Structures are given as C-alpha cells and as structure tokens.
Amino acid sequence: AQSVTQPDIHITVSEGASLELRCNYSYGATPYLFWYVQSPGQGLQLLLKYFSGDTLVQGIKGFEAEFKRSQSSFNLRKPSVHWSDAAEYFCAVGSSGGSYIPTFGRGTSLIVHP
Amino acid sequence: GAGVSQTPSNKVTEKGKYVELRCDPISGHTALYWYRQSLGQGPEFLIYFQGTGAADDSGLPNDRFFAVRPEGSVSTLKIQRTERGDSAVYLCASSLLAADTGELFFGEGSRLTVL
C-alpha cells in the first residue's frame, strides 16, 4: 500500500528566508506525487505535481519540488517565504495505474515570522 | 458557483443521530471523492465515485457510513448512529476525469461535531 511521511509537524521560518518541507513516500512503482496547501477557511489547493519526466517541477506561488527516486523523497522548496505562505502543507502520493486515489501525509504547519 | 460546494459548513449533532452531508462538485467533473480529516491529520480517503457508481469504497470505516451520487453530480455522505469518534471535517473533491492529471479540486469541508 502507498503511504506518505511528513516528518515535520511544524516548521517556523522568518519572512524572506528559504523553505524546505520534507516528504517521503512508499510505493512500489512509479508514483504520482503532489503538494497541496490548505489555508485557514479554504479548501486544499494543488501547488504542484510530478508524473514523469523532469524531476524538478515548478508550481504556483513560487514553489518547486524535486523528485528523488533513490531517496523516495519529494521535498517542497521556496527560495523566499512570504507571510501569506503560512498554511498547512500536505504531500500526497497516487498510483500510476488504474484508479487514481491520492494518499495524503499528515501535513506540515508552516509558521512565518515577520 | 465555480468551485466545489459543501453543505452544511458546520453540523453539531448528538451521539446516535443520523447525519447527511452534501457535496456539489464542479460542473462536468465525473470523478468525486470523499475524505475525512481529523484534527492534526491529513485527509483520509473514504470513497470515490466515477459517474454514478462508487468505484472504490474501501475507505469507509464501517457500515454506518454510506454515500450516493444518483445522477452523477451531487453526492451525499450519510452517517447513521453517529459516534463521538466521527467528529471530523469531511472533505469533498472533484476531478474532471479519473486518473487524469491528478488535480483534485476540494471544497471547504463540512465540520461535524458529535456530542
């Protein structure tokens, strides 16, 4: 069965600092990988996704993520964090064949200090 | 509206009561998903519809939970004999196709509190 681990429950950064949120997945074949963001009072929104090809993917709001098969990781990065980035971030893995049902990690809460 | 709509946004009920939660997906989206999110946790899969049929209901925790999508659009999640452990935010998401680009569009959720 597929699974996702987000080892950091909370991450605190200063505005303008760089950010990296960790995600490790478990899946036997080539995974589909996603990062979603959940802001207070809003539904989850897709930031970026990886299906195949270039292992460095660009997303919305200046985010990027790198797929590393050897490490079973898909870490999310941003070079300079803005106060509006404070939210809950979820990594998800989906199967690459048949019905697609993403499995989510428990999330990482990002706190941004001014 | 343009997005996924879920009603009610908040529901408080007593243990043992019956509850219905409604999801109105984005028009034209054939795939519909229900997830449950407990405090401090990520979304947990419950059931997935492709059109009118439940393609995968393996995430439903027990037979108190049931969901329908009779016309392939609006879906209702039904919970019988509610228990305090059912308290959570129930999320609905829709997608244009199944196993396509993989982007799910989520509603804001229905927060269920069982007293």
Side-chain angles (χ1 to χ4, degrees), chain A residues 15-41:
Chain A
E15 190 170 17
S18 64
L19 169 70
E20 182 170 30
L21 301 183
R22 296 184 292 167
C23 172
N24 293 96
Y25 68 89
S26 174
Y27 183 65
T30 301
Y32 290 175
L33 294 162
F34 310 85
W35 277 98
Y36 281 82
V37 61
Q38 186 177 37
S39 299

mmCIF file of all heavy atoms in Angstrom, chain A residues 15-41:
data_model
loop_
_atom_site.group_PDB
_atom_site.id
_atom_site.type_symbol
_atom_site.label_atom_id
_atom_site.label_comp_id
_atom_site.label_asym_id
_atom_site.label_seq_id
_atom_site.Cartn_x
_atom_site.Cartn_y
_atom_site.Cartn_z
ATOM 1 N N GLU A 15 10.192 35.611 7.526
ATOM 2 C CA GLU A 15 9.823 36.092 6.209
ATOM 3 C C GLU A 15 11.073 36.434 5.416
ATOM 4 O O GLU A 15 12.007 37.066 5.939
ATOM 5 C CB GLU A 15 8.915 37.314 6.316
ATOM 6 C CG GLU A 15 8.291 37.737 4.999
ATOM 7 C CD GLU A 15 7.208 38.787 5.165
ATOM 8 O OE1 GLU A 15 7.155 39.421 6.237
ATOM 9 O OE2 GLU A 15 6.409 38.954 4.234
ATOM 10 N N GLY A 16 11.116 35.977 4.172
ATOM 11 C CA GLY A 16 12.281 36.213 3.334
ATOM 12 C C GLY A 16 13.286 35.080 3.346
ATOM 13 O O GLY A 16 14.149 34.993 2.464
ATOM 14 N N ALA A 17 13.187 34.200 4.322
ATOM 15 C CA ALA A 17 14.095 33.064 4.400
ATOM 16 C C ALA A 17 13.652 31.974 3.431
ATOM 17 O O ALA A 17 12.515 31.955 2.958
ATOM 18 C CB ALA A 17 14.131 32.528 5.823
ATOM 19 N N SER A 18 14.573 31.051 3.169
ATOM 20 C CA SER A 18 14.238 29.923 2.302
ATOM 21 C C SER A 18 13.500 28.855 3.085
ATOM 22 O O SER A 18 13.554 28.812 4.320
ATOM 23 C CB SER A 18 15.505 29.340 1.677
ATOM 24 O OG SER A 18 16.331 28.823 2.694
ATOM 25 N N LEU A 19 12.817 27.972 2.350
ATOM 26 C CA LEU A 19 11.973 26.963 2.977
ATOM 27 C C LEU A 19 12.182 25.622 2.302
ATOM 28 O O LEU A 19 12.305 25.534 1.075
ATOM 29 C CB LEU A 19 10.506 27.364 2.836
ATOM 30 C CG LEU A 19 9.452 26.308 3.214
ATOM 31 C CD1 LEU A 19 9.457 26.097 4.722
ATOM 32 C CD2 LEU A 19 8.074 26.714 2.725
ATOM 33 N N GLU A 20 12.206 24.558 3.108
ATOM 34 C CA GLU A 20 12.151 23.205 2.563
ATOM 35 C C GLU A 20 11.273 22.362 3.462
ATOM 36 O O GLU A 20 11.535 22.240 4.662
ATOM 37 C CB GLU A 20 13.532 22.567 2.424
ATOM 38 C CG GLU A 20 13.467 21.162 1.797
ATOM 39 C CD GLU A 20 14.835 20.612 1.425
ATOM 40 O OE1 GLU A 20 15.820 20.957 2.089
ATOM 41 O OE2 GLU A 20 14.910 19.849 0.436
ATOM 42 N N LEU A 21 10.242 21.781 2.895
ATOM 43 C CA LEU A 21 9.347 20.874 3.619
ATOM 44 C C LEU A 21 9.593 19.465 3.100
ATOM 45 O O LEU A 21 9.582 19.223 1.900
ATOM 46 C CB LEU A 21 7.883 21.268 3.398
ATOM 47 C CG LEU A 21 7.489 22.681 3.823
ATOM 48 C CD1 LEU A 21 5.988 22.904 3.606
ATOM 49 C CD2 LEU A 21 7.853 22.949 5.264
ATOM 50 N N ARG A 22 9.773 18.542 4.035
ATOM 51 C CA ARG A 22 10.153 17.193 3.659
ATOM 52 C C ARG A 22 8.957 16.276 3.435
ATOM 53 O O ARG A 22 7.942 16.385 4.129
ATOM 54 C CB ARG A 22 11.070 16.601 4.736
ATOM 55 C CG ARG A 22 12.403 17.329 4.874
ATOM 56 C CD ARG A 22 13.286 16.636 5.889
ATOM 57 N NE ARG A 22 12.774 16.752 7.243
ATOM 58 C CZ ARG A 22 13.218 16.022 8.265
ATOM 59 N NH1 ARG A 22 14.129 15.088 8.055
ATOM 60 N NH2 ARG A 22 12.728 16.207 9.474
ATOM 61 N N CYS A 23 9.135 15.384 2.481
ATOM 62 C CA CYS A 23 8.114 14.384 2.176
ATOM 63 C C CYS A 23 8.815 13.118 1.713
ATOM 64 O O CYS A 23 9.634 13.154 0.780
ATOM 65 C CB CYS A 23 7.167 14.887 1.096
ATOM 66 S SG CYS A 23 6.001 13.635 0.486
ATOM 67 N N ASN A 24 8.492 11.997 2.344
ATOM 68 C CA ASN A 24 8.967 10.693 1.907
ATOM 69 C C ASN A 24 7.771 9.805 1.609
ATOM 70 O O ASN A 24 6.770 9.841 2.322
ATOM 71 C CB ASN A 24 9.848 10.045 2.978
ATOM 72 C CG ASN A 24 11.139 10.795 3.167
ATOM 73 O OD1 ASN A 24 11.253 11.635 4.057
ATOM 74 N ND2 ASN A 24 12.103 10.518 2.325
ATOM 75 N N TYR A 25 7.862 9.035 0.566
ATOM 76 C CA TYR A 25 6.729 8.215 0.164
ATOM 77 C C TYR A 25 7.139 6.751 0.104
ATOM 78 O O TYR A 25 8.330 6.411 0.021
ATOM 79 C CB TYR A 25 6.196 8.665 -1.203
ATOM 80 C CG TYR A 25 7.160 8.377 -2.325
ATOM 81 C CD1 TYR A 25 7.124 7.160 -3.004
ATOM 82 C CD2 TYR A 25 8.139 9.310 -2.679
ATOM 83 C CE1 TYR A 25 8.034 6.885 -4.003
ATOM 84 C CE2 TYR A 25 9.049 9.031 -3.673
ATOM 85 C CZ TYR A 25 8.992 7.820 -4.336
ATOM 86 O OH TYR A 25 9.908 7.543 -5.320
ATOM 87 N N SER A 26 6.144 5.907 0.124
ATOM 88 C CA SER A 26 6.346 4.482 -0.046
ATOM 89 C C SER A 26 5.369 4.010 -1.104
ATOM 90 O O SER A 26 4.148 4.148 -0.938
ATOM 91 C CB SER A 26 6.103 3.740 1.270
ATOM 92 O OG SER A 26 6.161 2.353 1.070
ATOM 93 N N TYR A 27 5.934 3.497 -2.197
ATOM 94 C CA TYR A 27 5.094 2.985 -3.278
ATOM 95 C C TYR A 27 5.958 2.114 -4.166
ATOM 96 O O TYR A 27 7.088 2.458 -4.454
ATOM 97 C CB TYR A 27 4.481 4.138 -4.076
ATOM 98 C CG TYR A 27 3.539 3.666 -5.156
ATOM 99 C CD1 TYR A 27 2.362 3.006 -4.830
ATOM 100 C CD2 TYR A 27 3.838 3.863 -6.501
ATOM 101 C CE1 TYR A 27 1.507 2.550 -5.816
ATOM 102 C CE2 TYR A 27 2.986 3.408 -7.490
ATOM 103 C CZ TYR A 27 1.819 2.754 -7.145
ATOM 104 O OH TYR A 27 0.972 2.300 -8.116
ATOM 105 N N GLY A 28 5.434 0.991 -4.611
ATOM 106 C CA GLY A 28 6.226 0.007 -5.336
ATOM 107 C C GLY A 28 6.618 0.404 -6.732
ATOM 108 O O GLY A 28 7.669 0.023 -7.224
ATOM 109 N N ALA A 29 5.784 1.169 -7.390
ATOM 110 C CA ALA A 29 6.054 1.525 -8.783
ATOM 111 C C ALA A 29 6.332 3.024 -8.880
ATOM 112 O O ALA A 29 6.591 3.680 -7.885
ATOM 113 C CB ALA A 29 4.860 1.124 -9.645
ATOM 114 N N THR A 30 6.277 3.541 -10.072
ATOM 115 C CA THR A 30 6.483 4.975 -10.245
ATOM 116 C C THR A 30 5.282 5.722 -9.691
ATOM 117 O O THR A 30 4.162 5.502 -10.125
ATOM 118 C CB THR A 30 6.652 5.324 -11.735
ATOM 119 O OG1 THR A 30 7.770 4.615 -12.242
ATOM 120 C CG2 THR A 30 6.880 6.825 -11.881
ATOM 121 N N PRO A 31 5.529 6.583 -8.739
ATOM 122 C CA PRO A 31 4.399 7.263 -8.116
ATOM 123 C C PRO A 31 3.994 8.546 -8.843
ATOM 124 O O PRO A 31 4.773 9.118 -9.586
ATOM 125 C CB PRO A 31 4.954 7.609 -6.736
ATOM 126 C CG PRO A 31 6.402 7.903 -7.004
ATOM 127 C CD PRO A 31 6.812 6.942 -8.116
ATOM 128 N N TYR A 32 2.757 8.945 -8.614
ATOM 129 C CA TYR A 32 2.360 10.309 -8.894
ATOM 130 C C TYR A 32 2.496 11.051 -7.564
ATOM 131 O O TYR A 32 2.056 10.541 -6.532
ATOM 132 C CB TYR A 32 0.899 10.390 -9.352
ATOM 133 C CG TYR A 32 0.611 9.824 -10.716
ATOM 134 C CD1 TYR A 32 -0.705 9.751 -11.178
ATOM 135 C CD2 TYR A 32 1.612 9.382 -11.566
ATOM 136 C CE1 TYR A 32 -1.007 9.254 -12.434
ATOM 137 C CE2 TYR A 32 1.321 8.880 -12.819
ATOM 138 C CZ TYR A 32 0.015 8.815 -13.251
ATOM 139 O OH TYR A 32 -0.287 8.321 -14.494
ATOM 140 N N LEU A 33 3.089 12.223 -7.570
ATOM 141 C CA LEU A 33 3.356 12.950 -6.331
ATOM 142 C C LEU A 33 2.799 14.359 -6.420
ATOM 143 O O LEU A 33 2.867 15.002 -7.474
ATOM 144 C CB LEU A 33 4.863 12.985 -6.059
ATOM 145 C CG LEU A 33 5.489 11.625 -5.763
ATOM 146 C CD1 LEU A 33 6.992 11.678 -5.945
ATOM 147 C CD2 LEU A 33 5.127 11.172 -4.356
ATOM 148 N N PHE A 34 2.299 14.821 -5.284
ATOM 149 C CA PHE A 34 1.631 16.115 -5.249
ATOM 150 C C PHE A 34 1.954 16.856 -3.953
ATOM 151 O O PHE A 34 2.225 16.240 -2.927
ATOM 152 C CB PHE A 34 0.098 15.949 -5.304
ATOM 153 C CG PHE A 34 -0.383 15.055 -6.394
ATOM 154 C CD1 PHE A 34 -0.437 13.693 -6.217
ATOM 155 C CD2 PHE A 34 -0.784 15.594 -7.602
ATOM 156 C CE1 PHE A 34 -0.879 12.864 -7.235
ATOM 157 C CE2 PHE A 34 -1.228 14.769 -8.625
ATOM 158 C CZ PHE A 34 -1.272 13.408 -8.435
ATOM 159 N N TRP A 35 1.875 18.153 -4.030
ATOM 160 C CA TRP A 35 1.839 19.004 -2.850
ATOM 161 C C TRP A 35 0.582 19.869 -2.934
ATOM 162 O O TRP A 35 0.315 20.508 -3.963
ATOM 163 C CB TRP A 35 3.057 19.907 -2.757
ATOM 164 C CG TRP A 35 4.250 19.249 -2.143
ATOM 165 C CD1 TRP A 35 5.317 18.673 -2.782
ATOM 166 C CD2 TRP A 35 4.529 19.113 -0.742
ATOM 167 N NE1 TRP A 35 6.219 18.190 -1.871
ATOM 168 C CE2 TRP A 35 5.766 18.447 -0.606
ATOM 169 C CE3 TRP A 35 3.850 19.505 0.424
ATOM 170 C CZ2 TRP A 35 6.339 18.156 0.626
ATOM 171 C CZ3 TRP A 35 4.418 19.217 1.640
ATOM 172 C CH2 TRP A 35 5.649 18.553 1.739
ATOM 173 N N TYR A 36 -0.158 19.853 -1.809
ATOM 174 C CA TYR A 36 -1.339 20.695 -1.677
ATOM 175 C C TYR A 36 -1.121 21.648 -0.505
ATOM 176 O O TYR A 36 -0.429 21.314 0.463
ATOM 177 C CB TYR A 36 -2.584 19.859 -1.390
ATOM 178 C CG TYR A 36 -3.191 19.168 -2.582
ATOM 179 C CD1 TYR A 36 -2.680 17.959 -3.051
ATOM 180 C CD2 TYR A 36 -4.288 19.713 -3.248
ATOM 181 C CE1 TYR A 36 -3.244 17.321 -4.142
ATOM 182 C CE2 TYR A 36 -4.865 19.080 -4.340
ATOM 183 C CZ TYR A 36 -4.338 17.893 -4.782
ATOM 184 O OH TYR A 36 -4.904 17.261 -5.865
ATOM 185 N N VAL A 37 -1.774 22.803 -0.564
ATOM 186 C CA VAL A 37 -1.722 23.765 0.527
ATOM 187 C C VAL A 37 -3.146 24.022 1.016
ATOM 188 O O VAL A 37 -4.093 24.061 0.224
ATOM 189 C CB VAL A 37 -1.050 25.091 0.085
ATOM 190 C CG1 VAL A 37 -1.808 25.762 -1.049
ATOM 191 C CG2 VAL A 37 -0.913 26.039 1.273
ATOM 192 N N GLN A 38 -3.274 24.137 2.327
ATOM 193 C CA GLN A 38 -4.575 24.407 2.936
ATOM 194 C C GLN A 38 -4.456 25.631 3.827
ATOM 195 O O GLN A 38 -3.823 25.585 4.876
ATOM 196 C CB GLN A 38 -5.039 23.197 3.758
ATOM 197 C CG GLN A 38 -6.443 23.317 4.315
ATOM 198 C CD GLN A 38 -6.861 22.050 5.066
ATOM 199 O OE1 GLN A 38 -6.057 21.417 5.745
ATOM 200 N NE2 GLN A 38 -8.115 21.659 4.917
ATOM 201 N N SER A 39 -5.047 26.711 3.387
ATOM 202 C CA SER A 39 -5.067 27.932 4.188
ATOM 203 C C SER A 39 -6.324 27.945 5.044
ATOM 204 O O SER A 39 -7.320 27.308 4.689
ATOM 205 C CB SER A 39 -5.029 29.158 3.270
ATOM 206 O OG SER A 39 -3.844 29.168 2.503
ATOM 207 N N PRO A 40 -6.282 28.647 6.165
ATOM 208 C CA PRO A 40 -7.451 28.667 7.066
ATOM 209 C C PRO A 40 -8.725 29.082 6.336
ATOM 210 O O PRO A 40 -8.740 30.079 5.622
ATOM 211 C CB PRO A 40 -7.045 29.699 8.120
ATOM 212 C CG PRO A 40 -5.561 29.663 8.126
ATOM 213 C CD PRO A 40 -5.155 29.411 6.707
ATOM 214 N N GLY A 41 -9.773 28.287 6.509
ATOM 215 C CA GLY A 41 -11.056 28.616 5.905
ATOM 216 C C GLY A 41 -11.144 28.357 4.418
ATOM 217 O O GLY A 41 -12.139 28.726 3.788
#
